[in-house]
Amino acid sequence: MSRTTMIRLAAMPETPPLIDEPAGAATILMVEDNADVRVMGETLLVDAGFVVHTAGDAAEALAMVEAGLAFDLLFTDIVMPGDLDGVGLSAEVARLRPGTPVLLTTGWADRVRDHAGQRAEPDLIAKPYRQTDLVRKIRLLLDRGAQGA
């Protein structure tokens, strides 16, 4: 980890345990090209009780999906290097596994909302995110998927 990231992470306030919203054993496929952000996100999710598989880009994640990796929700960065970004990955996951909830993340949330226009706003969490906000958003998406099943 870079020194800047370590200082930034150490400066984050501690988050109270999420006793009222246990994560259960849900499995998350997290896709993030920035290694420091990926480790931080994975740590937040594991500490909240989720099982987490990570990938460094959309191509790696898609290969995992095509190989049969079992997961309950895709959590992916939007902007990543390569031919496939997070939006394209989410479309492929929707094609291969219809009904799988997807949570997108980006440091450019305002731009995504501006481009969405009149279309439905995607399920999105802005970076930097806090554990409580991330877990709450994931639980909502998982609960919505369970109700629609």
Side-chain angles (χ1 to χ4, degrees):
M1 280 188 177
S2 71
R3 185 164 193 225
T4 304
T5 303
M6 291 179 71
I7 292 169
R8 186 173 183 194
L9 291 174
M12 291 177 62
E14 283 194 38
T15 308
L18 300 170
I19 296 169
D20 60 334
E21 293 187 46
T27 301
I28 310 296
L29 173 54
M30 179 181 179
V31 189
E32 171 62 58
D33 61 304
N34 181 301
D36 292 336
V37 175
R38 186 171 57 248
V39 168
M40 182 205 62
E42 179 180 18
T43 300
L44 293 176
L45 291 170
V46 168
D47 286 350
F50 293 102
V51 175
V52 182
H53 298 280
T54 62
D57 61 33
E60 180 184 359
L62 186 57
M64 294 166 75
V65 173
E66 290 173 337
L69 177 71
F71 62 98
D72 301 302
L73 180 136
L74 173 65
F75 175 44
T76 183
D77 190 12
I78 293 175
V79 180
M80 292 183 284
D83 295 334
L84 193 62
D85 64 8
V87 174
L89 174 62
S90 65
E92 283 298 304
V93 168
R95 182 181 66 80
L96 294 168
R97 299 200 186 159
T100 301
V102 175
L103 177 59
L104 300 171
T105 188
T106 184
W108 305 98
D110 292 339
R111 290 185 185 177
V112 171
R113 287 185 182 106
D114 290 344
H115 290 293
Q118 296 299 322
R119 293 177 286 154
E121 186 172 308
D123 288 311
L124 179 72
I125 189 167
K127 292 179 191 175
Y129 42 79
R130 297 180 322 170
Q131 183 186 41
T132 53
D133 297 331
L134 178 61
V135 171
R136 186 173 295 114
K137 190 81 160 173
I138 288 172
R139 293 304 317 160
L140 287 171
L141 290 169
L142 290 170
D143 291 347
R144 185 188 314 156
Q147 291 172 0

